[in-house]
Amino acid sequence: SSNYVNNRVIRCKAAVAWEPRKPLTIEDVEVAPPKVHEVRIKIIASGVCHTDQEYLTGQFRQFPLVLGHEAAGIVESVGPEVSKFSQGDKVIPLFLPQCGECERCLSPKTNQCRKNRANTQAGVMADGTSRISYKGQQVYQFLGVSSFSQYTVVPDISLAKIRSDAPLDKVCLLGCGVSTGYGAAVKAAKVRGSTSA
């Protein structure tokens, strides 16, 4: 498939957190087209992580907010200068980017890339704004992902292309839960070899 650029705003459903400690409400939001080095994806499956709940109880100060960071989806369109992704690719958004160029990405000891970190922690993209809005009001994007929306826009360094036959309802957990557990077992606990249950 080719690199498809869609400059139209997409109207879709999202679960919006309007304030801390209040239930999310399903709203009709607008998802803007991807900008330079951004990709708009259709979310097919999303997990719910304890971190989503923690931020809803007040750790995140920016509201309204679309939570969710464990997901899998399909590339809907790409912004300018995106070369690694094309329309129709199956992908997993990443709350930790992988620029591949910074000192941390090049180190074997950490993958804690810091590119765009201040922005993703603040719920916005590299240009300081969110791609999700509700009736003209900016809605913040949780960790640069916001998978509790039918569509979202993520930086191209915060996206992993996966096999076309991958079951999206299962691999969505790779974005956080599986990788966190694997990392704790292999890196922190130094588990070696395999075990059977």
Side-chain angles (χ1 to χ4, degrees):
S1 60
S2 62
N3 275 353
Y4 171 68
V5 179
N6 179 353
N7 292 318
R8 291 194 317 275
V9 168
I10 289 180
R11 286 174 178 78
C12 66
K13 302 279 186 203
V16 178
W18 291 101
E19 54 186 306
R21 293 175 285 286
K22 292 286 195 299
L24 309 182
T25 59
I26 305 300
E27 307 288 0
D28 292 308
V29 298
E30 296 188 334
V31 180
K35 294 188 178 180
V36 173
H37 286 293
E38 294 177 356
V39 178
R40 186 161 57 184
I41 58 177
K42 180 178 184 177
I43 299 291
I44 303 298
S46 181
V48 179
C49 176
H50 189 261
T51 307
D52 296 308
Q53 180 63 33
E54 283 179 9
Y55 275 73
L56 185 58
T57 57
Q59 281 196 22
F60 195 82
R61 303 279 179 249
Q62 306 283 4
F63 289 88
L65 167 69
V66 173
L67 289 160
H69 62 285
E70 279 187 336
I74 297 170
V75 172
E76 178 271 335
S77 60
V78 300
E81 297 180 39
V82 172
S83 58
K84 294 181 179 170
F85 301 97
S86 298
Q87 183 188 31
D89 286 349
K90 281 189 176 180
V91 290
I92 295 174
L94 311 169
F95 67 91
L96 273 178
Q98 193 71 22
C99 76
E101 298 168 358
C102 73
E103 179 183 335
R104 290 179 175 225
C105 283
L106 297 173
S107 164
K109 295 186 183 222
T110 180
N111 68 339
Q112 301 278 327
C113 179
R114 287 295 188 247
K115 183 151 185 175
N116 290 339
R117 180 173 170 79
N119 286 332
T120 58
Q121 293 296 313
V124 294
M125 295 286 116
D127 70 351
T129 65
S130 167
R131 299 292 162 265
I132 303 175
S133 61
Y134 174 78
K135 295 185 178 176
Q137 178 182 6
Q138 176 167 275
V139 177
Y140 292 96
Q141 292 185 239
F142 185 53
L143 300 178
V145 178
S146 287
S147 62
F148 294 175
S149 178
Q150 291 176 313
Y151 287 85
T152 190
V153 175
V154 299
D156 62 357
I157 59 169
S158 298
L159 203 55
K161 187 174 170 179
I162 58 173
R163 288 174 24 177
S164 61
D165 62 348
L168 297 180
D169 61 335
K170 309 271 192 312
V171 299
C172 65
L173 299 177
L174 291 172
C176 181
V178 172
S179 54
T180 302
Y182 176 83
V186 174
K187 300 285 186 194
K190 305 284 190 229
V191 173
R192 296 287 177 259
S194 63
T195 59
S196 57

